Amino acid sequence: MEDDVVARSASLLDGLRGFGANYTEFTRRFANWLGLHSTDAAALVEILYAEDTGSPLSPARLGDRIALTSGATTNLLNRLENLGYVVRTRESADRRKVTLRSGPDIQGLAREFFGPFSAGLMALVAEYPVEEIERFEAFLRHLRSTMDEVLEEQG
């Protein structure tokens, strides 16, 4: 039984590593397609994703997500804002809080670039029963939680 768990764990990690490498390559190609530095494109992807999921980012949260200092994040946001790719808004009652939104100049480009992957993902998900996808989502949440705990311990 133990050998089976070890083998299945190794196989899952191999698949996740492969997905991670493809995700990184996707972001690199998005950067090249837009003529951006890869860090700028990674930030843009984070902003677009957060906005799509209804949880737009603050500059500080973005900096945490892409591992940049606050100064480097500000410089990156200035570049993206000058291109029309990002808009900083003040949506909170506390006017000091800034929310990052995608700019009108990036929305169509992002749909064009990521559209084929989104369509493929939806087709793939449609092939599986809802319960199976829900179990996989739960597994991924637990895996991420485990990784977060280890990272927190390593501090």
Side-chain angles (χ1 to χ4, degrees):
M1 179 70 167
E2 175 95 12
D3 289 341
D4 186 43
V5 171
V6 170
R8 288 186 3 230
S9 296
S11 178
L12 280 167
L13 283 176
D14 186 55
L16 290 168
R17 270 194 295 275
F19 176 82
N22 283 356
Y23 183 85
T24 300
E25 178 63 13
F26 227 80
T27 302
R28 187 192 67 74
R29 289 183 186 192
F30 185 53
N32 288 343
W33 190 67
L34 292 173
L36 296 176
H37 185 276
S38 60
T39 303
D40 291 12
L44 196 49
V45 166
E46 290 293 331
I47 292 165
L48 288 161
Y49 176 76
E51 191 174 28
D52 282 351
T53 60
S55 303
L57 298 173
S58 67
R61 183 74 180 123
L62 174 65
D64 289 344
R65 303 238 357 166
I66 60 173
L68 290 180
T69 65
S70 62
T73 301
T74 297
N75 289 335
L76 176 147
L77 289 172
N78 289 341
R79 288 190 301 273
L80 294 177
E81 195 170 42
N82 288 336
L83 291 167
Y85 292 166
V86 171
V87 176
R88 292 178 239 205
T89 63
R90 299 190 189 283
E91 301 169 15
S92 171
D94 181 348
R95 303 302 289 162
R96 295 171 296 174
K97 291 185 180 179
V98 173
T99 301
L100 302 173
R101 297 279 180 184
S102 60
D105 294 345
I106 194 59
Q107 294 167 4
L109 292 170
R111 276 191 299 277
E112 181 181 342
F113 186 85
F114 291 107
F117 175 72
S118 293
L121 175 61
M122 285 190 282
L124 179 62
V125 168
E127 291 180 22
Y128 290 85
V130 171
E131 300 79 21
E132 208 169 323
I133 296 297
E134 288 172 346
R135 286 190 67 198
F136 183 64
E137 289 170 336
F139 173 80
L140 290 175
R141 277 192 305 277
H142 291 136
L143 179 61
R144 182 166 181 192
S145 162
T146 300
M147 291 181 80
D148 287 344
E149 289 172 13
V150 171
L151 290 169
E152 183 68 30
E153 288 172 10
Q154 292 176 345

